[in-house]
Amino acid sequence: MAAIDFPNSPSVNDTHTVGDRTWKWNGSVWAVVRAVDLLVGPTGATGAVGATGATGLTGNTGLTGNTGAVGNTGATGNTGATGVAGQTGVTGATGATGATGTFNSATAITGAILVGAQERTTTSATAATGTVNFDVRTQGVLYYTSNATGNWTLNVRGDGSTTLNSWMTTGDAITVTFLVTQGSTAYYATGFTIDGSSVTPKYYNGTTWTSGNASSIDAYSYTIVKTGSAAFTVFATQTKFA
């Protein structure tokens, strides 16, 4: 009998037939297959389904996926109806009155009617003597309440840093009043200056005063008219109040 040439590197259950004989590789050797082994009968009926096995353990939850992209913003809805207005709150307290401004030159007003107009007055427990400065930018009346101790010169100016000449316009006039308290010995104004320069007033009735009035208050009134640059005409009166 000739040698049989079996295939190289067979897999388990591979068969090899030569003539009427068949061999099957069982993983170790080529075993002869009997003829009865080659006959395959019909497939038998399917057996009954076995009972369902027990449910296995739930597996671990998988990782959460990435968040999807944000969708486009939807259209803005219609504006709702306006609600009922709330009650008006309590009125706040009135703020403090601001400081009084400094009087300065003003535009002329024709035909004005003044009702209850007031003048700014400076009252000081000072005795008249020497040079008395009258600042028209801060007062219209100057009242010294202590008894005069000597004769004096009244100097009228804008204020400590402003001349009356620079403050007034030619053709304008201003009236100032100096109230002087007198004791048993009376004194009086012996000079009058504007911005430190002497001016001779025109006196009421054409007569200058030569004394004051004891135990009274003397009111000196000066109406000053600016007639040009550093040029003034002054009208003066002295009145006793007791």
PDB file of all heavy atoms in Angstrom, residues 103-127:
ATOM      1  N   PHE A 103     -23.159 140.292  48.157  1.00  0.00           N
ATOM      2  CA  PHE A 103     -23.750 141.257  47.236  1.00  0.00           C
ATOM      3  C   PHE A 103     -22.672 141.820  46.320  1.00  0.00           C
ATOM      4  O   PHE A 103     -21.578 142.118  46.734  1.00  0.00           O
ATOM      5  CB  PHE A 103     -24.411 142.389  48.036  1.00  0.00           C
ATOM      6  CG  PHE A 103     -24.981 143.466  47.154  1.00  0.00           C
ATOM      7  CD1 PHE A 103     -26.175 143.268  46.480  1.00  0.00           C
ATOM      8  CD2 PHE A 103     -24.322 144.676  46.983  1.00  0.00           C
ATOM      9  CE1 PHE A 103     -26.698 144.244  45.673  1.00  0.00           C
ATOM     10  CE2 PHE A 103     -24.839 145.658  46.171  1.00  0.00           C
ATOM     11  CZ  PHE A 103     -26.038 145.449  45.516  1.00  0.00           C
ATOM     12  N   ASN A 104     -22.993 141.966  45.050  1.00  0.00           N
ATOM     13  CA  ASN A 104     -22.049 142.528  44.107  1.00  0.00           C
ATOM     14  C   ASN A 104     -22.815 143.387  43.121  1.00  0.00           C
ATOM     15  O   ASN A 104     -24.024 143.516  43.209  1.00  0.00           O
ATOM     16  CB  ASN A 104     -21.297 141.404  43.369  1.00  0.00           C
ATOM     17  CG  ASN A 104     -19.925 141.855  42.915  1.00  0.00           C
ATOM     18  OD1 ASN A 104     -19.707 143.039  42.674  1.00  0.00           O
ATOM     19  ND2 ASN A 104     -19.012 140.906  42.794  1.00  0.00           N
ATOM     20  N   SER A 105     -22.111 144.016  42.195  1.00  0.00           N
ATOM     21  CA  SER A 105     -22.773 144.853  41.207  1.00  0.00           C
ATOM     22  C   SER A 105     -23.794 144.029  40.444  1.00  0.00           C
ATOM     23  O   SER A 105     -23.592 142.868  40.172  1.00  0.00           O
ATOM     24  CB  SER A 105     -21.738 145.419  40.224  1.00  0.00           C
ATOM     25  OG  SER A 105     -20.824 146.249  40.912  1.00  0.00           O
ATOM     26  N   ALA A 106     -24.916 144.625  40.093  1.00  0.00           N
ATOM     27  CA  ALA A 106     -25.984 143.902  39.428  1.00  0.00           C
ATOM     28  C   ALA A 106     -26.496 144.704  38.248  1.00  0.00           C
ATOM     29  O   ALA A 106     -26.290 145.904  38.149  1.00  0.00           O
ATOM     30  CB  ALA A 106     -27.115 143.616  40.412  1.00  0.00           C
ATOM     31  N   THR A 107     -27.194 144.022  37.339  1.00  0.00           N
ATOM     32  CA  THR A 107     -27.807 144.680  36.200  1.00  0.00           C
ATOM     33  C   THR A 107     -28.987 145.511  36.668  1.00  0.00           C
ATOM     34  O   THR A 107     -29.754 145.092  37.532  1.00  0.00           O
ATOM     35  CB  THR A 107     -28.278 143.629  35.185  1.00  0.00           C
ATOM     36  OG1 THR A 107     -27.165 142.833  34.798  1.00  0.00           O
ATOM     37  CG2 THR A 107     -28.901 144.280  33.968  1.00  0.00           C
ATOM     38  N   ALA A 108     -29.142 146.707  36.095  1.00  0.00           N
ATOM     39  CA  ALA A 108     -30.230 147.600  36.506  1.00  0.00           C
ATOM     40  C   ALA A 108     -31.575 146.989  36.152  1.00  0.00           C
ATOM     41  O   ALA A 108     -31.744 146.367  35.113  1.00  0.00           O
ATOM     42  CB  ALA A 108     -30.079 148.955  35.820  1.00  0.00           C
ATOM     43  N   ILE A 109     -32.554 147.136  37.066  1.00  0.00           N
ATOM     44  CA  ILE A 109     -33.911 146.663  36.850  1.00  0.00           C
ATOM     45  C   ILE A 109     -34.827 147.867  36.929  1.00  0.00           C
ATOM     46  O   ILE A 109     -34.887 148.553  37.952  1.00  0.00           O
ATOM     47  CB  ILE A 109     -34.312 145.621  37.896  1.00  0.00           C
ATOM     48  CG1 ILE A 109     -33.354 144.414  37.834  1.00  0.00           C
ATOM     49  CG2 ILE A 109     -35.754 145.177  37.679  1.00  0.00           C
ATOM     50  CD1 ILE A 109     -33.603 143.380  38.902  1.00  0.00           C
ATOM     51  N   THR A 110     -35.545 148.154  35.845  1.00  0.00           N
ATOM     52  CA  THR A 110     -36.421 149.322  35.791  1.00  0.00           C
ATOM     53  C   THR A 110     -37.834 148.942  36.229  1.00  0.00           C
ATOM     54  O   THR A 110     -38.367 147.911  35.816  1.00  0.00           O
ATOM     55  CB  THR A 110     -36.471 149.887  34.363  1.00  0.00           C
ATOM     56  OG1 THR A 110     -35.131 150.201  33.953  1.00  0.00           O
ATOM     57  CG2 THR A 110     -37.330 151.132  34.298  1.00  0.00           C
ATOM     58  N   GLY A 111     -38.431 149.812  37.056  1.00  0.00           N
ATOM     59  CA  GLY A 111     -39.816 149.624  37.445  1.00  0.00           C
ATOM     60  C   GLY A 111     -40.038 148.522  38.463  1.00  0.00           C
ATOM     61  O   GLY A 111     -41.163 148.040  38.602  1.00  0.00           O
ATOM     62  N   ALA A 112     -38.981 148.072  39.176  1.00  0.00           N
ATOM     63  CA  ALA A 112     -39.151 147.013  40.167  1.00  0.00           C
ATOM     64  C   ALA A 112     -39.918 147.524  41.370  1.00  0.00           C
ATOM     65  O   ALA A 112     -39.801 148.684  41.761  1.00  0.00           O
ATOM     66  CB  ALA A 112     -37.786 146.493  40.603  1.00  0.00           C
ATOM     67  N   ILE A 113     -40.731 146.664  41.969  1.00  0.00           N
ATOM     68  CA  ILE A 113     -41.482 146.996  43.183  1.00  0.00           C
ATOM     69  C   ILE A 113     -40.964 146.098  44.297  1.00  0.00           C
ATOM     70  O   ILE A 113     -41.007 144.872  44.194  1.00  0.00           O
ATOM     71  CB  ILE A 113     -42.989 146.784  42.982  1.00  0.00           C
ATOM     72  CG1 ILE A 113     -43.514 147.708  41.866  1.00  0.00           C
ATOM     73  CG2 ILE A 113     -43.739 147.035  44.286  1.00  0.00           C
ATOM     74  CD1 ILE A 113     -44.974 147.485  41.542  1.00  0.00           C
ATOM     75  N   LEU A 114     -40.452 146.708  45.362  1.00  0.00           N
ATOM     76  CA  LEU A 114     -39.922 145.961  46.487  1.00  0.00           C
ATOM     77  C   LEU A 114     -40.961 145.906  47.600  1.00  0.00           C
ATOM     78  O   LEU A 114     -41.556 146.919  47.956  1.00  0.00           O
ATOM     79  CB  LEU A 114     -38.635 146.602  47.013  1.00  0.00           C
ATOM     80  CG  LEU A 114     -37.471 146.713  46.013  1.00  0.00           C
ATOM     81  CD1 LEU A 114     -36.273 147.387  46.682  1.00  0.00           C
ATOM     82  CD2 LEU A 114     -37.077 145.335  45.502  1.00  0.00           C
ATOM     83  N   VAL A 115     -41.159 144.727  48.153  1.00  0.00           N
ATOM     84  CA  VAL A 115     -42.084 144.553  49.269  1.00  0.00           C
ATOM     85  C   VAL A 115     -41.306 143.912  50.414  1.00  0.00           C
ATOM     86  O   VAL A 115     -40.815 142.795  50.299  1.00  0.00           O
ATOM     87  CB  VAL A 115     -43.271 143.658  48.880  1.00  0.00           C
ATOM     88  CG1 VAL A 115     -44.198 143.461  50.082  1.00  0.00           C
ATOM     89  CG2 VAL A 115     -44.038 144.268  47.716  1.00  0.00           C
ATOM     90  N   GLY A 116     -41.191 144.631  51.528  1.00  0.00           N
ATOM     91  CA  GLY A 116     -40.491 144.094  52.693  1.00  0.00           C
ATOM     92  C   GLY A 116     -39.027 143.822  52.441  1.00  0.00           C
ATOM     93  O   GLY A 116     -38.490 142.830  52.943  1.00  0.00           O
ATOM     94  N   ALA A 117     -38.372 144.680  51.649  1.00  0.00           N
ATOM     95  CA  ALA A 117     -36.948 144.472  51.375  1.00  0.00           C
ATOM     96  C   ALA A 117     -36.138 144.621  52.654  1.00  0.00           C
ATOM     97  O   ALA A 117     -36.479 145.398  53.541  1.00  0.00           O
ATOM     98  CB  ALA A 117     -36.474 145.476  50.328  1.00  0.00           C
ATOM     99  N   GLN A 118     -35.053 143.858  52.763  1.00  0.00           N
ATOM    100  CA  GLN A 118     -34.193 143.909  53.938  1.00  0.00           C
ATOM    101  C   GLN A 118     -32.779 144.318  53.543  1.00  0.00           C
ATOM    102  O   GLN A 118     -32.342 144.071  52.425  1.00  0.00           O
ATOM    103  CB  GLN A 118     -34.135 142.530  54.604  1.00  0.00           C
ATOM    104  CG  GLN A 118     -35.490 141.989  55.031  1.00  0.00           C
ATOM    105  CD  GLN A 118     -35.355 140.624  55.670  1.00  0.00           C
ATOM    106  OE1 GLN A 118     -34.528 140.405  56.555  1.00  0.00           O
ATOM    107  NE2 GLN A 118     -36.175 139.685  55.212  1.00  0.00           N
ATOM    108  N   GLU A 119     -32.071 144.937  54.496  1.00  0.00           N
ATOM    109  CA  GLU A 119     -30.664 145.273  54.300  1.00  0.00           C
ATOM    110  C   GLU A 119     -29.831 144.452  55.258  1.00  0.00           C
ATOM    111  O   GLU A 119     -30.205 144.256  56.419  1.00  0.00           O
ATOM    112  CB  GLU A 119     -30.416 146.763  54.560  1.00  0.00           C
ATOM    113  CG  GLU A 119     -30.844 147.694  53.447  1.00  0.00           C
ATOM    114  CD  GLU A 119     -30.326 149.105  53.667  1.00  0.00           C
ATOM    115  OE1 GLU A 119     -30.937 149.844  54.460  1.00  0.00           O
ATOM    116  OE2 GLU A 119     -29.306 149.456  53.061  1.00  0.00           O
ATOM    117  N   ARG A 120     -28.694 143.982  54.765  1.00  0.00           N
ATOM    118  CA  ARG A 120     -27.790 143.238  55.618  1.00  0.00           C
ATOM    119  C   ARG A 120     -27.137 144.192  56.605  1.00  0.00           C
ATOM    120  O   ARG A 120     -26.605 145.236  56.244  1.00  0.00           O
ATOM    121  CB  ARG A 120     -26.717 142.549  54.766  1.00  0.00           C
ATOM    122  CG  ARG A 120     -25.784 141.646  55.551  1.00  0.00           C
ATOM    123  CD  ARG A 120     -26.495 140.422  56.082  1.00  0.00           C
ATOM    124  NE  ARG A 120     -27.068 139.643  54.998  1.00  0.00           N
ATOM    125  CZ  ARG A 120     -27.963 138.678  55.164  1.00  0.00           C
ATOM    126  NH1 ARG A 120     -28.415 138.406  56.370  1.00  0.00           N
ATOM    127  NH2 ARG A 120     -28.425 138.005  54.129  1.00  0.00           N
ATOM    128  N   THR A 121     -27.232 143.858  57.914  1.00  0.00           N
ATOM    129  CA  THR A 121     -26.700 144.708  58.980  1.00  0.00           C
ATOM    130  C   THR A 121     -25.642 143.944  59.774  1.00  0.00           C
ATOM    131  O   THR A 121     -25.848 142.782  60.116  1.00  0.00           O
ATOM    132  CB  THR A 121     -27.816 145.159  59.931  1.00  0.00           C
ATOM    133  OG1 THR A 121     -28.779 145.910  59.192  1.00  0.00           O
ATOM    134  CG2 THR A 121     -27.269 146.020  61.063  1.00  0.00           C
ATOM    135  N   THR A 122     -24.528 144.630  60.042  1.00  0.00           N
ATOM    136  CA  THR A 122     -23.509 144.060  60.914  1.00  0.00           C
ATOM    137  C   THR A 122     -23.603 144.751  62.266  1.00  0.00           C
ATOM    138  O   THR A 122     -23.482 145.974  62.358  1.00  0.00           O
ATOM    139  CB  THR A 122     -22.099 144.267  60.340  1.00  0.00           C
ATOM    140  OG1 THR A 122     -22.013 143.611  59.076  1.00  0.00           O
ATOM    141  CG2 THR A 122     -21.041 143.697  61.274  1.00  0.00           C
ATOM    142  N   THR A 123     -23.868 143.972  63.318  1.00  0.00           N
ATOM    143  CA  THR A 123     -23.954 144.511  64.677  1.00  0.00           C
ATOM    144  C   THR A 123     -22.742 144.029  65.454  1.00  0.00           C
ATOM    145  O   THR A 123     -22.478 142.825  65.513  1.00  0.00           O
ATOM    146  CB  THR A 123     -25.240 144.043  65.365  1.00  0.00           C
ATOM    147  OG1 THR A 123     -26.363 144.472  64.585  1.00  0.00           O
ATOM    148  CG2 THR A 123     -25.352 144.622  66.763  1.00  0.00           C
ATOM    149  N   SER A 124     -22.004 144.981  66.030  1.00  0.00           N
ATOM    150  CA  SER A 124     -20.759 144.623  66.705  1.00  0.00           C
ATOM    151  C   SER A 124     -20.619 145.385  68.016  1.00  0.00           C
ATOM    152  O   SER A 124     -20.873 146.590  68.076  1.00  0.00           O
ATOM    153  CB  SER A 124     -19.561 144.943  65.784  1.00  0.00           C
ATOM    154  OG  SER A 124     -18.340 144.691  66.432  1.00  0.00           O
ATOM    155  N   ALA A 125     -20.221 144.661  69.076  1.00  0.00           N
ATOM    156  CA  ALA A 125     -19.992 145.300  70.381  1.00  0.00           C
ATOM    157  C   ALA A 125     -18.633 145.990  70.346  1.00  0.00           C
ATOM    158  O   ALA A 125     -17.690 145.630  71.052  1.00  0.00           O
ATOM    159  CB  ALA A 125     -20.053 144.260  71.493  1.00  0.00           C
ATOM    160  N   THR A 126     -18.537 147.012  69.507  1.00  0.00           N
ATOM    161  CA  THR A 126     -17.291 147.745  69.279  1.00  0.00           C
ATOM    162  C   THR A 126     -17.538 149.219  69.559  1.00  0.00           C
ATOM    163  O   THR A 126     -18.630 149.732  69.324  1.00  0.00           O
ATOM    164  CB  THR A 126     -16.822 147.560  67.826  1.00  0.00           C
ATOM    165  OG1 THR A 126     -16.691 146.155  67.546  1.00  0.00           O
ATOM    166  CG2 THR A 126     -15.494 148.247  67.566  1.00  0.00           C
ATOM    167  N   ALA A 127     -16.521 149.912  70.048  1.00  0.00           N
ATOM    168  CA  ALA A 127     -16.614 151.346  70.315  1.00  0.00           C
ATOM    169  C   ALA A 127     -16.004 152.104  69.145  1.00  0.00           C
ATOM    170  O   ALA A 127     -14.904 151.799  68.692  1.00  0.00           O
ATOM    171  CB  ALA A 127     -15.881 151.693  71.605  1.00  0.00           C
TER     172      ALA A 127
END
